[in-house]
Amino acid sequence: IKPALKEENIESVIDDVLGEVLPEILSKNILIEKKYAKNGFKIMIDKIMIMRALKAVFDNAVEAMSSIAGDGKTLSVDAGYDNITNEFVITVKDTGCGIPADDLGKVMRPYFSKKPDRQGLGLFYANKVMKLHGGSIFIESAKGTTVKLHFKV
């Protein structure tokens, strides 16, 4: 699979995907916090692939917060250029249950899932897409999970 690269406003792409998952986010009483460092930043991406990868990340974040009762559930999305690494970075943080340390190294493997109704392909796909774009994905987890998508620009 080769990405069909086109210059896209990455912040608009993020907003499009957030719009897709917004009904579920609202139904679960999750607050969205967005911080885009540079309005209108454009990078070369395959929009459809990146949208699917972001949706997988957002879906996991929303699902991680689904079991938490009450308020305090937040999905944070930061996007901006990192002058040190010369990369555009999208950071997605949730206040969910987190990923157990034993599972952290497995979550990007195909078919790895702790959920009986899931195939375990979302983060595998996101990782593959980022590699096809010459980028990378990093996941940290403690109380909540942080996923960082790094794009070379």
Side-chain angles (χ1 to χ4, degrees):
I1 299 173
K2 186 175 178 181
L5 299 177
K6 183 179 166 198
E7 190 175 68
E8 298 283 352
N9 177 328
I10 190 64
E11 293 148 353
S12 293
V13 172
I14 297 167
D15 284 340
D16 288 348
V17 180
L18 282 172
E20 284 183 26
V21 296
L22 189 62
E24 187 173 0
I25 288 171
L26 294 175
S27 74
K28 295 186 173 18
N29 200 28
I30 297 170
L31 176 70
I32 300 174
E33 292 179 351
K34 296 190 307 183
K35 186 172 80 177
Y36 300 157
K38 188 174 183 182
N39 196 18
F41 198 90
K42 293 185 177 183
I43 58 175
M44 296 295 289
I45 59 169
D46 182 311
K47 183 178 179 179
I48 301 300
M49 284 183 164
I50 294 299
M51 286 182 73
R52 287 181 183 155
L54 281 170
K55 185 165 184 328
V57 172
F58 292 155
D59 285 347
N60 279 348
V62 170
E63 189 164 325
M65 292 184 279
S66 294
S67 61
I68 296 171
D71 295 332
K73 296 180 278 192
T74 305
L75 175 66
S76 302
V77 183
D78 295 348
Y81 185 74
D82 185 329
N83 291 317
I84 296 169
T85 62
N86 293 322
E87 296 174 319
F88 190 86
V89 181
I90 300 171
T91 303
V92 180
K93 295 180 185 177
D94 68 61
T95 55
C97 55
I99 301 168
D102 291 348
D103 294 338
L104 202 52
K106 303 173 190 171
V107 294
M108 287 192 274
R109 291 182 191 166
Y111 309 110
F112 178 80
S113 179
K114 293 283 187 152
K115 302 163 209 133
D117 59 336
R118 301 289 183 198
Q119 294 179 334
L121 294 173
L123 291 176
F124 168 75
Y125 177 79
N127 187 40
K128 182 106 173 141
V129 165
M130 291 306 296
K131 286 181 179 178
L132 287 170
H133 281 78
S136 55
I137 184 169
F138 300 97
I139 302 175
E140 303 165 0
S141 191
K143 172 71 174 104
T145 300
T146 301
V147 178
K148 293 184 178 186
L149 295 94
H150 293 250
F151 295 86
K152 298 284 185 197
V153 289

